[in-house]
Amino acid sequence: MERKSAPATAKPVVQKSEGKAGSMFASIVIPVAIIAAVLIYMFILGNPANFEGNDNANHPLPGNMLGQVYKGGFIVPILIAINILVLAFSIERFMTISKAKGGKGLEQFVRTVRQKMDVGDVNGAIAICDQQKGSVANVVKAGLLKYQEMHTEVGMTKDQRILAIQKEIEEATALELPMLEKNLVIISTIASISTLVGLIGTVLGMIKAFAALATASGAPDATQLANGISEALINTALGITGSAIAIVAYNYFTSKIDELTYSIDEASYSIIQTYAAQHSETNRI
């Protein structure tokens, strides 16, 4: 009874601590990204050296992209913050998923576990999990420990033992995989809203451009017209960039999580099939 209760209390503690770490990262990186974006907009893009007469109220120097981006207006720091968030959460997810894979390649790990199970070396398979580490190894190890436990269980039928192993693997998977998907919702949200925020800047820029055309004298203000069109295009470019990066990152991490899930399913199937085959042979003898 003590051996069964210890894993049950250890897993939620790990899950809870990892959950707090993920939430803390989000709560820290979002305000930091906003502050960094404002500072970049004010002191780097808005540096007087980027403008004529050393005054950011004037036109940007010819060919100076920093000054041109600054003229995109107040939407620019919002879009810069969005791009910073995409990069920050992409790096965080990459590190988390890489850690979940463990030390060696997943294919090699699953192949080694299956080889150990084929010869009935459960302890060797558990040792491989300890060396591999990561979420996949944790789930497989939980199934192997339950596998050993079922060998000493005398009050259950074969089907009940197999179901017990399956349930243990499912519970371990339910504890591990949600942490891999954490913060992906932020990336997917950014992929949706980045273009929309850029579109707001585009509309505001076009409003200024058309306002420059509608002058009382009838002659369009070429300077204001150019500034309005520039603002619209700059916001469009930043919005599309953030959305494109977020979409690529989300699809990449989703495919990696699917790869981890497939590896867990493959190793779990091998464990269950090995137990069923060995138990059937024992019954025939």
Side-chain angles (χ1 to χ4, degrees):
M1 295 300 290
E2 293 180 356
R3 187 172 298 174
K4 293 172 68 177
S5 61
T9 56
K11 292 176 183 176
V13 171
V14 174
Q15 182 74 3
K16 185 176 181 180
S17 62
E18 291 179 350
K20 286 183 178 180
S23 301
M24 185 178 297
F25 177 83
S27 63
I28 293 175
V29 74
I30 292 176
V32 168
I34 295 173
I35 295 173
V38 173
L39 294 177
I40 290 172
Y41 179 74
M42 293 177 59
F43 298 106
I44 296 180
L45 302 181
N47 189 334
N50 299 325
F51 302 88
E52 295 176 352
N54 284 330
D55 187 355
N56 57 20
N58 296 332
H59 294 295
L61 293 173
N64 191 300
M65 290 300 299
L66 297 179
Q68 292 179 12
V69 174
Y70 177 82
K71 290 299 182 179
F74 69 94
I75 299 295
V76 170
I78 300 176
L79 292 171
I80 293 176
I82 287 175
N83 282 273
I84 293 175
L85 288 175
V86 171
L87 294 176
F89 283 109
S90 297
I91 294 172
E92 185 268 341
R93 284 296 88 193
F94 178 80
M95 295 175 62
T96 299
I97 293 176
S98 298
K99 182 179 179 181
K101 292 174 63 176
K104 300 179 181 178
L106 287 177
E107 293 184 1
Q108 180 181 354
F109 168 69
V110 173
R111 188 184 308 113
T112 305
V113 170
R114 295 183 66 177
Q115 291 173 351
K116 295 291 184 181
M117 295 303 296
D118 288 341
V119 298
D121 186 7
V122 180
N123 290 327
I126 293 175
I128 294 297
C129 293
D130 291 334
Q131 295 175 5
Q132 178 73 8
K133 300 181 181 180
S135 297
V136 177
N138 291 340
V139 174
V140 175
K141 182 179 179 180
L144 292 172
L145 293 175
K146 197 67 175 180
Y147 180 101
Q148 286 184 325
E149 182 182 333
M150 288 300 99
H151 273 296
T152 60
E153 184 65 48
V154 295
M156 300 173 65
T157 64
K158 170 188 172 182
D159 292 337
Q160 289 176 333
R161 295 177 183 179
I162 292 176
L163 288 174
I165 296 174
Q166 290 177 333
K167 183 179 179 181
E168 182 70 17
I169 293 173
E170 291 173 358
E171 290 178 352
T173 303
L175 290 172
E176 295 286 347
L177 288 186
M179 289 307 305
L180 302 179
E181 298 175 352
K182 194 174 184 64
N183 293 333
L184 280 184
V185 64
I186 297 178
I187 296 179
S188 65
T189 301
I190 290 175
S192 301
I193 68 172
S194 180
T195 304
L196 298 178
V197 174
L199 183 60
I200 294 175
T202 302
V203 172
L204 294 176
M206 294 308 297
I207 290 174
K208 292 182 180 179
F210 282 106
L213 294 174
T215 58
S217 62
D221 187 338
T223 301
Q224 292 299 324
L225 176 62
N227 288 339
I229 295 175
S230 176
E231 178 178 339
L233 295 179
I234 288 170
N235 286 293
T236 301
L238 289 175
I240 292 175
T241 300
S243 180
I245 296 175
I247 291 172
V248 172
Y250 180 81
N251 291 335
Y252 173 80
F253 295 129
T254 300
S255 66
K256 290 299 179 181
I257 293 174
D258 291 340
E259 180 182 345
L260 295 178
T261 304
Y262 176 78
S263 298
I264 291 174
D265 292 340
E266 186 177 1
S268 302
Y269 178 80
S270 177
I271 293 171
I272 294 171
Q273 288 299 109
T274 300
Y275 182 86
Q278 290 181 351
H279 193 81
S280 297
E281 292 175 0
T282 303
N283 288 341
R284 284 197 298 267
I285 293 175

Short mmCIF file of all heavy atoms in Angstrom, two decimals, residues 31-48 50 56 70 76-78 80-81 84:
data_model
loop_
_atom_site.label_atom_id
_atom_site.label_comp_id
_atom_site.label_asym_id
_atom_site.label_seq_id
_atom_site.Cartn_x
_atom_site.Cartn_y
_atom_site.Cartn_z
N PRO A 31 4.55 41.77 -19.05
CA PRO A 31 4.87 43.18 -18.74
C PRO A 31 6.28 43.58 -19.16
O PRO A 31 6.50 44.73 -19.56
CB PRO A 31 4.68 43.26 -17.22
CG PRO A 31 4.75 41.87 -16.72
CD PRO A 31 4.22 41.02 -17.82
N VAL A 32 7.23 42.65 -19.07
CA VAL A 32 8.59 42.97 -19.49
C VAL A 32 8.63 43.28 -20.99
O VAL A 32 9.32 44.23 -21.42
CB VAL A 32 9.54 41.81 -19.16
CG1 VAL A 32 10.90 41.99 -19.84
CG2 VAL A 32 9.74 41.70 -17.65
N ALA A 33 7.88 42.51 -21.78
CA ALA A 33 7.83 42.75 -23.23
C ALA A 33 7.22 44.11 -23.54
O ALA A 33 7.68 44.83 -24.44
CB ALA A 33 7.04 41.64 -23.91
N ILE A 34 6.17 44.47 -22.80
CA ILE A 34 5.54 45.78 -23.03
C ILE A 34 6.49 46.91 -22.70
O ILE A 34 6.63 47.88 -23.46
CB ILE A 34 4.25 45.88 -22.18
CG1 ILE A 34 3.22 44.85 -22.67
CG2 ILE A 34 3.66 47.28 -22.27
CD1 ILE A 34 1.98 44.76 -21.80
N ILE A 35 7.17 46.81 -21.55
CA ILE A 35 8.12 47.85 -21.15
C ILE A 35 9.27 47.93 -22.15
O ILE A 35 9.69 49.03 -22.56
CB ILE A 35 8.66 47.56 -19.73
CG1 ILE A 35 7.52 47.67 -18.70
CG2 ILE A 35 9.78 48.52 -19.38
CD1 ILE A 35 7.92 47.24 -17.30
N ALA A 36 9.79 46.78 -22.57
CA ALA A 36 10.89 46.76 -23.53
C ALA A 36 10.47 47.39 -24.86
O ALA A 36 11.24 48.14 -25.48
CB ALA A 36 11.38 45.33 -23.75
N ALA A 37 9.24 47.10 -25.29
CA ALA A 37 8.75 47.65 -26.56
C ALA A 37 8.65 49.17 -26.50
O ALA A 37 9.02 49.87 -27.45
CB ALA A 37 7.40 47.04 -26.91
N VAL A 38 8.15 49.68 -25.38
CA VAL A 38 8.04 51.14 -25.22
C VAL A 38 9.42 51.79 -25.22
O VAL A 38 9.64 52.84 -25.85
CB VAL A 38 7.27 51.48 -23.94
CG1 VAL A 38 7.30 52.99 -23.68
CG2 VAL A 38 5.83 51.00 -24.03
N LEU A 39 10.37 51.17 -24.52
CA LEU A 39 11.73 51.72 -24.47
C LEU A 39 12.39 51.69 -25.85
O LEU A 39 13.08 52.64 -26.24
CB LEU A 39 12.57 50.94 -23.46
CG LEU A 39 12.14 51.06 -21.99
CD1 LEU A 39 13.01 50.17 -21.11
CD2 LEU A 39 12.22 52.51 -21.52
N ILE A 40 12.18 50.60 -26.58
CA ILE A 40 12.73 50.52 -27.94
C ILE A 40 12.14 51.60 -28.83
O ILE A 40 12.85 52.27 -29.60
CB ILE A 40 12.45 49.12 -28.54
CG1 ILE A 40 13.28 48.06 -27.82
CG2 ILE A 40 12.76 49.10 -30.04
CD1 ILE A 40 12.94 46.64 -28.21
N TYR A 41 10.82 51.79 -28.70
CA TYR A 41 10.15 52.79 -29.53
C TYR A 41 10.63 54.20 -29.20
O TYR A 41 10.88 55.01 -30.11
CB TYR A 41 8.64 52.69 -29.32
CG TYR A 41 7.84 53.70 -30.11
CD1 TYR A 41 7.66 53.56 -31.48
CD2 TYR A 41 7.27 54.80 -29.48
CE1 TYR A 41 6.94 54.48 -32.21
CE2 TYR A 41 6.54 55.74 -30.20
CZ TYR A 41 6.38 55.57 -31.56
OH TYR A 41 5.65 56.49 -32.28
N MET A 42 10.80 54.50 -27.93
CA MET A 42 11.14 55.87 -27.51
C MET A 42 12.62 56.19 -27.72
O MET A 42 12.96 57.27 -28.23
CB MET A 42 10.77 56.07 -26.04
CG MET A 42 9.28 56.04 -25.76
SD MET A 42 8.91 56.19 -23.98
CE MET A 42 9.67 57.78 -23.61
N PHE A 43 13.51 55.26 -27.34
CA PHE A 43 14.93 55.59 -27.27
C PHE A 43 15.77 55.04 -28.42
O PHE A 43 16.87 55.53 -28.65
CB PHE A 43 15.51 55.11 -25.94
CG PHE A 43 14.87 55.77 -24.75
CD1 PHE A 43 13.98 55.07 -23.95
CD2 PHE A 43 15.16 57.08 -24.43
CE1 PHE A 43 13.38 55.67 -22.85
CE2 PHE A 43 14.58 57.70 -23.33
CZ PHE A 43 13.68 57.00 -22.54
N ILE A 44 15.27 54.03 -29.12
CA ILE A 44 16.02 53.48 -30.26
C ILE A 44 15.41 53.98 -31.56
O ILE A 44 16.08 54.61 -32.38
CB ILE A 44 16.05 51.95 -30.20
CG1 ILE A 44 16.80 51.48 -28.96
CG2 ILE A 44 16.73 51.39 -31.47
CD1 ILE A 44 16.87 49.97 -28.82
N LEU A 45 14.13 53.69 -31.75
CA LEU A 45 13.47 54.17 -32.97
C LEU A 45 13.32 55.68 -32.95
O LEU A 45 13.46 56.34 -33.98
CB LEU A 45 12.10 53.50 -33.12
CG LEU A 45 12.08 51.97 -33.18
CD1 LEU A 45 10.66 51.46 -33.35
CD2 LEU A 45 12.96 51.47 -34.31
N GLY A 46 13.01 56.24 -31.77
CA GLY A 46 12.79 57.67 -31.67
C GLY A 46 14.03 58.47 -31.35
O GLY A 46 13.93 59.65 -30.96
N ASN A 47 15.19 57.86 -31.50
CA ASN A 47 16.44 58.57 -31.26
C ASN A 47 16.53 59.78 -32.21
O ASN A 47 16.40 59.62 -33.43
CB ASN A 47 17.62 57.63 -31.49
CG ASN A 47 18.94 58.23 -31.05
OD1 ASN A 47 19.11 59.44 -31.02
ND2 ASN A 47 19.89 57.36 -30.73
N PRO A 48 16.76 60.98 -31.67
CA PRO A 48 16.83 62.17 -32.55
C PRO A 48 17.86 62.04 -33.67
O PRO A 48 17.72 62.69 -34.71
CB PRO A 48 17.21 63.29 -31.57
CG PRO A 48 16.70 62.83 -30.24
CD PRO A 48 16.89 61.35 -30.25
N ASN A 50 18.15 59.82 -35.70
CA ASN A 50 17.53 59.18 -36.87
C ASN A 50 16.73 60.16 -37.71
O ASN A 50 16.17 59.76 -38.74
CB ASN A 50 16.60 58.05 -36.42
CG ASN A 50 17.33 56.95 -35.67
OD1 ASN A 50 18.47 56.64 -35.97
ND2 ASN A 50 16.67 56.35 -34.68
N ASN A 56 12.94 64.22 -33.50
CA ASN A 56 12.08 63.14 -33.99
C ASN A 56 10.72 63.63 -34.47
O ASN A 56 9.90 62.84 -34.94
CB ASN A 56 11.90 62.05 -32.93
CG ASN A 56 11.34 62.59 -31.63
OD1 ASN A 56 10.74 63.67 -31.57
ND2 ASN A 56 11.55 61.83 -30.55
N TYR A 70 9.54 54.45 -36.57
CA TYR A 70 9.05 55.32 -35.49
C TYR A 70 7.83 56.12 -35.96
O TYR A 70 6.91 56.36 -35.17
CB TYR A 70 10.16 56.25 -35.04
CG TYR A 70 9.73 57.25 -33.98
CD1 TYR A 70 9.69 56.87 -32.64
CD2 TYR A 70 9.38 58.56 -34.32
CE1 TYR A 70 9.30 57.78 -31.66
CE2 TYR A 70 8.99 59.46 -33.35
CZ TYR A 70 8.94 59.06 -32.03
OH TYR A 70 8.54 59.96 -31.05
N VAL A 76 2.92 51.03 -33.15
CA VAL A 76 4.21 50.35 -33.34
C VAL A 76 4.71 49.68 -32.06
O VAL A 76 5.11 48.51 -32.10
CB VAL A 76 5.26 51.34 -33.89
CG1 VAL A 76 6.66 50.73 -33.85
CG2 VAL A 76 4.91 51.71 -35.32
N PRO A 77 4.75 50.36 -30.90
CA PRO A 77 5.21 49.65 -29.69
C PRO A 77 4.34 48.46 -29.32
O PRO A 77 4.85 47.48 -28.76
CB PRO A 77 5.18 50.75 -28.61
CG PRO A 77 4.31 51.82 -29.14
CD PRO A 77 4.47 51.79 -30.62
N ILE A 78 3.05 48.53 -29.63
CA ILE A 78 2.19 47.37 -29.36
C ILE A 78 2.62 46.19 -30.22
O ILE A 78 2.73 45.05 -29.75
CB ILE A 78 0.71 47.72 -29.62
CG1 ILE A 78 0.27 48.87 -28.71
CG2 ILE A 78 -0.18 46.51 -29.42
CD1 ILE A 78 -1.15 49.35 -28.97
N ILE A 80 5.57 45.76 -31.58
CA ILE A 80 6.90 45.31 -31.14
C ILE A 80 6.77 44.38 -29.94
O ILE A 80 7.44 43.34 -29.86
CB ILE A 80 7.79 46.52 -30.79
CG1 ILE A 80 8.11 47.32 -32.05
CG2 ILE A 80 9.08 46.07 -30.12
CD1 ILE A 80 8.90 48.59 -31.79
N ALA A 81 5.89 44.75 -28.99
CA ALA A 81 5.67 43.89 -27.82
C ALA A 81 5.13 42.52 -28.25
O ALA A 81 5.53 41.49 -27.70
CB ALA A 81 4.69 44.56 -26.86
N ILE A 84 7.99 40.49 -29.61
CA ILE A 84 8.86 40.04 -28.51
C ILE A 84 8.21 38.86 -27.79
O ILE A 84 8.89 37.88 -27.43
CB ILE A 84 9.13 41.20 -27.53
CG1 ILE A 84 9.98 42.27 -28.20
CG2 ILE A 84 9.82 40.69 -26.28
CD1 ILE A 84 10.20 43.51 -27.34
#
